[in-house]
Amino acid sequence: MKHGRTFNFSAGPAMMPEPVLEEIAQEVLNYRGSGMSVMEMSHRSKEFTSIYDEAVADLRKLMNIPDNYKVLFVQGGGTVQFAMVPMNLMKNGVACYVDTGSWSGKAIKEAKKYGEVKVVASSEDKNYSYVPDCSDLDIPDNADYVYICENETINGTTFKKLPNTKGHILVSDQSSMFLSKPCNVEDYGVIWAGVQKNVGPAGMAVVIIREDLIRDDVPDFVPTYLKYKTHADKDSMYNTPNCWDIYCCGKVFKYLLNLGGLEAVQKINEEKAAVLYDYLDSSDYFTGSVAKEDRSLMNVPFVSPSKDEDAAVVAATKEAGFDNLKGHRSVGGLRASIYNAMPKEGVEALVKFLKDYEASL
Ligand SMILES: *Cc1c(COP(=O)(O)O)cnc(C)c1O
């Protein structure tokens, strides 16, 4: 890696593509002759307006977003969406949630403040190490939506098949898998993603929402800023947006388009993840924590035979120049997050290190 950069396996904030960072560095003092950096620029300026328009157009192209969906950039990171979803979409006050781990758990907890939450499937019985069968869920007729966390960042599971929502709207938290593979937007009412896992700097979420779900008749207590309509009506510029984040995300959208779009990205990600999973399957020392059929392409939790040994391996990886491989405190072990911007060489280097470590025992 150039510039003394490290292979950063963090679950987020995570690595950004090096060519994107280089371009940003080039433009940081004087953005394309404007005499200022994007950090200093008015969100109403013609330079920023074109940065914004291009970012939205590139994301639309990348995900093939139909015309009847809006793209919004909302501040407050992913967590604000846990509240915005129920505040805006609970018309009947009932929603169904699939409980697959830490992040769906947070969404459930928050939604309960605004209405009745029905947990229609859960994988809690096996410590969230798999994705429950969602082909025949018990969904009440008046349910406003069905909610999933499509890739559980901490637990390392991912939905290979979307739930059968029986005609109800599907809402998906795609934070840790956003743009990692093609996505058929029409299958969803709302897709949202905190951007710091697979796109840009923390503090913002991309929300892709079907237009008929953007309502004005939300409860009076809903703050102006937390209505999707506020953002939709003003093209995400009701107040000063996070211009810097939109600019960085826009560069990543363009970078992914130039790589060949999401089919190409998926192919790279599958090859990359296979390097690690194949090793874990062949190892006598390490074990992957997730049921094979539900494994995430992005977050790979695994364990050694004991907690003490886990800690020793984490320390050794750190010593060897790999960063942030400690598993989340709620599940322990190790976790390698291998988002879009993690180069394949990073995963190959890690696997070589783990192999040598195992051989030295
Ligand atoms: C990181 C993450 C979030 C929360 O994002 P913040 O920007 O830290 O609020 C929500 N959902 C998932 C799946 C995540 O990985």
Side-chain angles (χ1 to χ4, degrees):
M1 293 253 283
K2 286 186 281 181
H3 310 297
R5 287 168 54 75
T6 187
F7 291 122
N8 176 7
F9 289 89
S10 169
M15 293 180 80
M16 287 177 61
E18 208 162 85
V20 166
L21 293 175
E22 278 172 343
E23 235 182 85
I24 291 169
Q26 286 294 319
E27 294 174 344
V28 79
L29 284 171
N30 184 349
Y31 176 79
R32 301 189 186 175
S34 64
M36 61 185 80
S37 105
V38 175
M39 282 182 266
E40 304 161 296
M41 201 175 265
S42 162
H43 53 299
R44 312 280 179 208
S45 65
K46 74 175 191 320
E47 285 86 0
F48 186 74
T49 305
S50 74
I51 289 170
Y52 167 86
D53 288 344
E54 219 168 294
V56 172
D58 284 342
L59 181 63
R60 286 190 167 280
K61 203 190 290 173
L62 200 51
M63 292 185 74
N64 205 4
I65 300 175
D67 288 344
N68 62 325
Y69 286 74
K70 280 261 189 193
V71 171
L72 312 175
F73 298 111
V74 184
Q75 296 176 73
T79 298
V80 165
Q81 296 307 311
F82 295 146
M84 277 182 84
V85 166
M87 279 179 174
N88 285 272
L89 301 183
M90 273 187 175
K91 207 169 175 174
N92 301 326
V94 183
C96 296
Y97 279 68
V98 179
D99 172 27
T100 47
S102 301
W103 290 111
S104 48
K106 288 197 173 166
I108 289 167
K109 190 162 170 245
E110 192 70 11
K112 282 181 176 166
K113 295 184 176 201
Y114 306 106
E116 187 189 329
V117 170
K118 206 170 170 237
V119 175
V120 285
S122 171
S123 53
E124 192 185 2
D125 59 340
K126 290 188 185 155
N127 204 18
Y128 300 116
S129 60
Y130 71 103
V131 171
D133 177 12
C134 295
S135 59
D136 186 18
L137 301 171
D138 184 12
I139 302 169
D141 287 343
N142 66 344
D144 290 308
Y145 59 88
V146 177
Y147 181 104
I148 58 170
C149 174
E150 203 167 333
N151 186 82
E152 281 280 4
T153 321
I154 290 173
N155 309 85
T157 58
T158 206
F159 280 77
K160 299 275 160 79
K161 193 169 178 285
L162 293 176
N164 174 3
T165 64
K166 302 181 176 171
H168 295 266
I169 295 155
L170 181 63
V171 177
S172 176
D173 172 1
Q174 288 197 349
S175 297
S176 50
M177 60 172 287
F178 194 54
L179 307 179
S180 65
K181 59 178 193 177
C183 167
N184 185 27
V185 174
E186 279 182 347
D187 291 340
Y188 304 81
V190 180
I191 296 167
W192 65 265
V195 296
Q196 74 273 33
K197 312 291 162 67
N198 233 349
V199 198
M204 191 176 82
V206 173
V207 178
I208 301 166
I209 179 168
R210 214 172 66 200
E211 274 171 359
D212 61 291
L213 302 174
I214 302 170
R215 297 164 46 208
D216 207 15
D217 60 335
V218 298
D220 279 346
F221 69 81
V222 178
T224 308
Y225 191 81
L226 299 186
K227 286 187 192 179
Y228 288 127
K229 192 163 192 318
T230 302
H231 299 274
D233 285 352
K234 299 284 183 191
D235 289 327
S236 304
M237 292 200 215
Y238 171 74
N239 69 335
T240 318
N242 189 336
C243 299
W244 179 252
D245 213 337
I246 294 170
Y247 161 75
C248 294
C249 289
K251 289 219 182 279
V252 173
F253 301 154
K254 209 174 275 305
Y255 174 78
L256 298 179
L257 280 172
N258 289 337
L259 273 186
L262 298 186
E263 269 98 17
V265 172
Q266 177 177 26
K267 187 161 175 287
I268 298 167
N269 284 333
E270 282 174 349
E271 286 170 8
K272 205 164 71 182
V275 172
L276 183 50
Y277 281 124
D278 288 350
Y279 166 63
L280 293 175
D281 289 341
S282 71
S283 169
D284 295 323
Y285 187 70
F286 295 108
T287 317
S289 311
V290 170
K292 270 191 190 174
E293 61 279 14
D294 300 322
R295 285 169 163 177
S296 167
L297 268 185
M298 302 276 102
N299 309 100
V300 185
F302 55 101
V303 292
S304 74
S306 74
K307 282 200 166 70
D308 287 348
E309 285 166 277
D310 286 342
V313 185
V314 171
T317 55
K318 178 108 186 137
E319 182 82 3
F322 302 99
D323 234 331
N324 292 312
L325 279 152
K326 191 169 187 289
H328 189 269
R329 59 189 177 280
S330 65
V331 292
L334 291 90
R335 173 177 50 167
S337 293
I338 50 174
Y339 297 118
N340 284 353
M342 167 62 69
K344 191 173 176 200
E345 306 83 75
V347 180
E348 286 167 344
L350 175 67
V351 165
K352 180 175 185 310
F353 176 83
L354 295 175
K355 265 185 191 159
D356 292 346
Y357 185 92
E358 183 176 357
S360 74
L361 294 171

